[in-house]
Amino acid sequence: MTLDFTGRHVVVTGGTGALGRAVVDAFVGAGAVCHVPHRGAAPADFASHERIRLVGGVELADEPRVAKLYADLPALWASVHVAGGFAAAPVTSTSLADLRAQLDQNLVSAFLCSREAVRRMSAGGRIVNVASRAAVESEGGKLAYTIAKAGVVALTRALAAELAPGILANVILPSTIDTPANRAAMPAADPARWSKPAAVADAILWLASPNNLVTTGALVPV
């Protein structure tokens, strides 16, 4: 199946991370123009690519900054929200500040970006959020993260119910992703069982594509 995004504008948050880069590569490879908000240094290959538009200094939990980010964009076809954060701790070691940080990094960022993306999708479009398998199969030990990602799932299903049929919203539920950071953090684990960034990106690309005509509100494990 050919997925053609030629002439379509797509936002990818978290696009400079390991999964985000794979997502950006997939969209650019399919012909899209990708808008990538970021806070740190921009990758040199992104900065030189004619169809990757970097937007620096964006804090995704800051409502005015996110509103300005989207207001300055052309009409959007898709907004993909890879950005997030992870923290693990038992419940008795989880402070309210820890919970609020996870909510900001995962749920608030996805909410603000989804809301502003909808404002830029006058001709319909696609929203894809990235949650986690932990949102539906919690293993314990990461309460704040689990709560925040479960919120992303609820947000996506609410968006799907409200916005169909013009805008379709779906959520990806990755297990552990095979990244250099995860390999370093879990040297004894078997990365052969982990999700590969390119494979996760392919699932996101299809959900965000014009070929997806009816799938909305789906929780997609990868």
Side-chain angles (χ1 to χ4, degrees):
M1 181 181 295
T2 299
L3 303 180
D4 185 4
F5 285 79
T6 301
R8 299 179 189 269
H9 289 262
V10 177
V11 170
V12 179
T13 72
T16 60
L19 174 58
R21 286 182 65 95
V23 173
V24 171
D25 287 345
F27 276 102
V28 169
V33 176
C34 278
H35 302 267
V36 182
H38 66 98
R39 290 184 299 178
D45 56 329
F46 278 17
S48 62
H49 199 292
E50 63 179 3
R51 282 189 283 109
I52 298 177
R53 312 283 171 79
L54 293 161
V55 186
V58 179
E59 170 52 62
L60 296 174
D62 184 321
E63 186 171 25
R65 296 300 293 273
V66 173
K68 185 177 188 310
L69 163 69
Y70 281 85
D72 290 343
L73 297 178
L76 285 180
W77 170 254
S79 196
V80 179
H81 310 135
V82 181
F86 174 79
V91 61
T92 53
S93 300
T94 300
S95 67
L96 180 57
D98 294 333
L99 175 60
R100 285 176 171 160
Q102 285 297 293
L103 290 172
D104 276 350
Q105 293 171 36
N106 294 290
L107 177 55
V108 172
S109 63
F111 160 69
L112 291 174
C113 291
S114 295
R115 186 191 69 190
E116 296 307 314
V118 169
R119 301 187 198 276
R120 306 300 298 160
M121 294 178 176
S122 58
R126 307 287 183 266
I127 292 172
V128 182
N129 288 315
V130 176
S132 167
R133 196 72 61 86
V136 295
E137 300 174 7
S138 179
E139 299 173 351
K142 43 193 173 185
L143 188 71
Y145 175 77
T146 298
I147 292 169
K149 288 300 192 183
V152 174
V153 171
L155 164 68
T156 309
R157 300 191 75 176
L159 288 169
E162 181 173 333
L163 301 174
I167 297 173
L168 308 183
N170 295 285
V171 60
I172 292 285
L173 305 177
S175 56
T176 304
I177 299 175
D178 188 2
T179 66
N182 282 337
R183 287 192 179 218
M186 294 174 278
D190 178 9
R193 300 179 61 84
W194 295 351
S195 304
K196 307 304 179 185
V200 179
D202 285 344
I204 291 171
L205 189 71
W206 185 82
L207 288 171
S209 75
N211 299 57
N212 173 20
L213 299 176
V214 296
T215 300
T216 193
L219 284 61
V220 182
V222 290

